[in-house]
Amino acid sequence: MFDWFRQLTSQERRTFAACFGGWALDSMDVNIYGLVITSLKQQWGITNAEAGLLGTAALVVSAFGGWIVGLLADRVGRVRMLQLTILWFAVFTALSGLTQNFSQLLVVRGLQGLGFGGEWAAGAVLMGEIIRPEHRGKAVGGVQSGWAIGWAAAVLLQALLFSLLPAELAWRALFFVGITPALLVFFVRNAVAEPEVFNRARAKNAGVGFLEIFSPRHLKTTALCSMLAIGAQGGYYAINTWLPTFLRTERKLSVLNSGGYLAVVIAGAFSGYLTGAWLSDRLGRKAQFYLFAIGSGLIVLLYTQLKIDNGTMLLLGFPLGFFASGIFSGMGAFFTELFPTNVRGSGQGFSYNFGRGVGALSPWLIGRLSERVGLGVAIGLFAAGSYAIGFAACTFLPETKGRALQES
């Protein structure tokens, strides 16, 4: 499964390392919020709906950040925008630790979202253009596995800081740690170069308009990719934002035990990313997405709706993480191959992050619905519905496995 990595050139490996590190650290910063919801509810007295809105704010704004950065990446360069977005989300994560009330955190979280959305837009298209076609799915999907590493780092840091500091200080310290991704910028600046395919396309198509992805030539692809992203993102954020709270409130688990359950989910996520990346090149982009969408929907319903004991929940945690995270493995390569180089950053950044913006409504809506039907039911309904949308969109897109990149 990993022979392909040894075949990469030094430039391909450096690019992989930079994008993997950026995505892992981005994940760490983003997942911190889900781990401190309970503390914020206790200290600030916010409701589930308000907590969901805080989760949604960064994700909605990230939709605009992803498109803006994608547009700029098509003009000034993939590498330059990757550096900027890493620095941006690191700074605003740290500033979250200084906020004093709900309104302040809402604003800072929203601004953090600009960098969060932009980092994927710049990094995914950079990886897709650097890596050769036969390894593109595995490499871009391999970068996605960095999300599980960053998530695990956030969980470990939470356990450490909450054991060393009072709760009212621990959540702030956790946000302060989020400044560390800024150090990665120095590596990206010195070790990563722009893809040749991008340099050629920029020289030929400097005047492409920012609405080009909505032209008749590209509109169908943009719309279907956006729907595909809505399905995957809506399902994932329904789980990711509310799972820790669900375990503590409805399953009555302690913080220590909840961390154990999350560890199993994260292990499943890491395995899912790597397996999904391999299957994307082996079976094709569409087959991989179908498989993981069906698995995600079924597992979420089992996990949240059945009256099961702790042991069974622990076992279900692995496939939950495996399918819900692994569904993203082929998406970066798929979108890279669907858009030509002159609008690839814009198209890929808009589609993925528009899906994130719409899917991001699920944490807020789940928070509101949970006050009527319970948190488990709300998570299950939104997750299953989201995956059904993504499945439907995928049927209308062409298979792109092994496709050479279009330059214009």
Side-chain angles (χ1 to χ4, degrees):
M1 186 180 290
F2 300 103
D3 285 345
W4 63 272
F5 191 79
R6 289 189 285 271
Q7 300 174 27
L8 300 183
T9 65
S10 59
Q11 177 60 27
E12 288 174 325
R13 290 186 184 183
R14 288 195 300 269
T15 304
F16 181 91
C19 293
F20 182 93
W23 194 234
L25 292 168
D26 195 347
S27 168
M28 182 186 75
D29 284 7
V30 170
N31 280 292
I32 285 171
Y33 173 70
L35 298 170
V36 302
I37 288 178
T38 302
S39 294
L40 292 175
K41 288 177 66 177
Q42 292 171 350
Q43 294 176 36
W44 288 353
I46 61 177
T47 65
N48 274 354
E50 289 173 328
L53 182 59
L54 284 170
T56 294
L59 302 178
V60 170
V61 177
S62 75
F64 296 98
W67 189 23
I68 293 169
V69 170
L71 287 166
L72 292 173
D74 283 338
R75 286 156 176 76
V76 304
R78 292 31 170 144
V79 176
R80 188 175 301 176
M81 295 313 300
L82 180 63
Q83 295 175 63
L84 178 61
T85 54
I86 291 172
L87 184 62
W88 183 280
F89 75 70
V91 169
F92 280 99
T93 299
L95 288 176
S96 298
L98 298 175
T99 56
Q100 301 299 314
N101 54 50
F102 170 81
S103 298
Q104 291 178 9
L105 184 56
L106 183 64
V107 172
V108 174
R109 285 278 299 169
L111 291 171
Q112 182 211 32
L114 289 174
F116 172 41
E119 197 278 338
W120 189 92
V125 72
L126 172 62
M127 277 297 300
E129 290 179 342
I130 285 286
I131 302 296
R132 66 198 78 171
E134 63 267 28
H135 297 321
R136 187 177 295 129
K138 294 184 286 291
V140 179
V143 166
Q144 291 279 171
S145 70
W147 188 267
I149 301 299
W151 189 5
V155 172
L156 292 173
L157 285 168
Q158 182 221 22
L160 175 63
L161 292 174
F162 274 78
S163 67
L164 296 175
L165 299 172
E168 61 270 19
L169 296 178
W171 70 267
R172 294 184 184 277
L174 195 55
F175 278 125
F176 293 153
V177 175
I179 194 65
T180 53
L183 299 175
L184 184 64
V185 170
F186 297 103
F187 173 77
V188 175
R189 180 178 181 181
N190 295 317
V192 182
E194 294 289 354
E196 286 300 319
V197 67
F198 165 71
N199 289 330
R200 292 194 301 269
R202 180 169 57 173
K204 295 178 182 177
N205 301 282
V208 174
F210 76 99
L211 293 178
E212 179 65 21
I213 60 171
F214 304 110
S215 68
R217 179 185 175 189
H218 301 300
L219 181 59
K220 180 181 177 181
T221 299
T222 301
L224 289 174
C225 287
S226 298
M227 288 181 62
L228 182 69
I230 288 172
Q233 300 278 6
Y236 179 81
Y237 285 113
I239 300 165
N240 179 262
T241 301
W242 283 111
L243 182 60
T245 303
F246 172 74
L247 294 176
R248 292 187 184 98
T249 58
E250 297 205 6
R251 298 304 189 194
K252 308 302 180 184
L253 301 176
S254 67
V255 174
L256 178 61
N257 286 335
S258 179
Y261 277 87
L262 285 177
V264 174
V265 175
I266 292 169
F270 184 70
S271 301
Y273 282 129
L274 294 179
T275 303
W278 183 76
L279 289 175
S280 178
D281 277 341
R282 184 75 177 222
L283 301 179
R285 317 306 188 213
K286 295 179 65 170
Q288 184 267 339
F289 185 87
Y290 291 146
L291 176 63
F292 279 74
I294 293 172
S296 297
L298 292 175
I299 290 297
V300 170
L301 288 175
L302 289 173
Y303 199 87
T304 58
Q305 307 308 313
L306 292 183
K307 299 294 183 181
I308 53 182
D309 58 31
N310 286 342
T312 306
M313 278 193 66
L314 182 64
L315 293 176
L316 284 176
F318 188 89
L320 175 71
F322 182 92
F323 287 109
S325 296
I327 195 171
F328 293 99
S329 290
M331 197 172 296
F334 198 18
F335 288 4
T336 295
E337 293 157 348
L338 286 167
F339 289 100
T341 305
N342 60 325
V343 295
R344 183 167 296 124
S346 176
Q348 194 163 331
F350 175 85
S351 299
Y352 187 88
N353 288 289
F354 179 81
R356 177 184 282 158
V358 175
L361 295 174
S362 62
W364 175 61
L365 292 172
I366 287 169
R368 293 184 64 87
L369 184 62
S370 69
E371 296 172 355
R372 296 186 179 183
V373 301
L375 191 53
V377 172
I379 293 172
L381 287 174
F382 274 90
S386 295
Y387 291 126
I389 291 172
F391 191 99
C394 192
T395 61
F396 293 98
L397 286 167
E399 177 57 59
T400 62
K401 171 188 171 185
R403 177 186 289 187
L405 298 182
Q406 306 172 61
E407 294 200 15
S408 62

